[in-house]
Amino acid sequence: LLRRGVHQLKFEKRLQQSSWLTVVAMRLLVGVKRVIDYAVKIRVKPDQSGVEMANVKMAMNPFCEIALEEAVRLKENKVANEVVAVTMGPKTSGETLRQALALGADRGIHVLTDTELQPLAAAKLFAALAAREEPRMILLGKQAIDGDCNQTGQMLAALLGWPQGLFASKVQVDGDNVLVESESDSGIEITSLQLPAVVTADLRLNEPRYATLPNIMKAKKKPVDTVSPADLGVDAEPTI
């Protein structure tokens, strides 16, 4: 019995070490986009070339905020050990990145560019970052409320050759697999994906938290890496 007890303790210790290693290896990459606040009344430019962006309140894309909240919850539940927030755009997009850090991301990456990124360019940039950061899962909002393209997640999965779980209303990691529930016209669709994978967040996945004042102050000290599309070897110029 004593010998059996010793073997049991050794097994439990190896299991704890294995679980610890699994957590350490689980890095999550989350995209956060800066868009016009959903409550703002949109005004079209006089030349009809787009919407007026000057002196307009900006905010994090709501679906990106949901994806970030899910990543932070996975870390809080010991499923992952690091959440890396990624934003792409001009210098002002750094404000959205700092908001992501205040909401629980550990560090940030700012792909600095003044070019208006199309979904394919954004997907290529995410793919280049995935090769560098080696995340186990990439979480994105299913779409941005400015362009409503709903294309970046799908294109990214195709570029990486990773499985994709779209319009997630529930995400559950089980070892090297992730179960993604999605709402469809015929009911709830449950997909089992082998990690690494790309997951896009739907509205009902969760309810994002608010950033507290202490976390806002802590976010100012969290590291942010700034890179350009050229640094990642990506041509981000529009193709259409």
Side-chain angles (χ1 to χ4, degrees):
L1 289 175
L2 180 60
R3 183 180 300 175
R4 183 179 179 183
V6 171
H7 285 307
Q8 181 70 20
L9 287 173
K10 289 182 179 179
F11 173 77
E12 291 177 355
K13 185 176 181 180
R14 286 198 303 269
L15 184 61
Q16 290 173 355
Q17 291 173 343
S18 176
S19 300
W20 182 82
L21 290 171
T22 301
V23 172
V24 168
M26 190 66 157
R27 175 178 294 151
L28 306 177
L29 207 63
V30 187
V32 291
K33 186 178 183 181
R34 186 173 185 261
V35 298
I36 296 176
D37 189 279
Y38 72 92
V40 171
K41 185 177 180 180
I42 302 298
R43 291 181 291 113
V44 179
K45 291 181 179 178
D47 61 0
Q48 306 294 313
S49 62
V51 297
E52 188 63 58
M53 303 287 288
N55 301 318
V56 175
K57 182 182 178 183
M58 307 295 285
M60 185 186 300
N61 177 49
F63 291 105
C64 295
E65 196 170 359
I66 293 169
L68 176 63
E69 172 67 23
E70 192 65 22
V72 173
R73 291 186 184 187
L74 288 172
K75 182 189 172 185
E76 290 174 344
N77 292 331
K78 311 292 185 188
V79 174
N81 79 304
E82 186 179 33
V83 176
V84 183
V86 178
T87 194
M88 302 174 184
K91 188 176 180 180
T92 50
S93 296
E95 299 172 6
T96 302
L97 196 57
R98 286 296 174 188
Q99 181 186 353
L101 296 174
L103 290 170
D106 298 294
R107 58 186 175 92
I109 300 175
H110 187 176
V111 182
L112 188 62
T113 177
D114 292 323
T115 303
E116 185 175 351
L117 296 175
Q118 294 179 345
L120 180 57
K124 288 180 178 179
L125 290 168
F126 272 116
L129 288 172
R132 190 178 76 166
E133 296 291 332
E134 298 182 348
R136 294 288 287 164
M137 191 190 309
I138 301 177
L139 292 103
L140 306 173
K142 71 171 185 178
Q143 64 193 74
I145 62 172
D146 51 3
D148 279 335
C149 292
N150 182 19
Q151 295 174 336
T152 303
Q154 294 90 321
M155 290 178 171
L156 174 59
L159 290 171
L160 293 172
W162 290 6
Q164 55 184 302
L166 306 178
F167 320 129
S169 58
K170 184 177 180 180
V171 175
Q172 183 178 354
V173 177
D174 181 17
D176 288 332
N177 297 288
V178 57
L179 296 176
V180 178
E181 290 189 10
S182 307
E183 296 181 3
S184 66
D185 293 337
S186 57
I188 302 296
E189 179 181 285
I190 302 176
T191 308
S192 178
L193 311 174
Q194 186 173 2
L195 296 174
V198 176
V199 176
T200 66
D202 204 350
L203 188 64
R204 294 175 181 82
L205 180 57
N206 58 54
E207 184 175 344
R209 69 193 69 191
Y210 291 98
T212 62
L213 182 58
N215 286 337
I216 292 174
M217 300 304 294
K218 291 177 183 178
K220 297 179 180 180
K221 298 181 180 180
K222 291 183 178 180
V224 174
D225 186 16
T226 302
V227 297
S228 68
D231 295 333
L232 299 173
V234 176
D235 181 8
E237 292 300 319
T239 56
I240 300 177

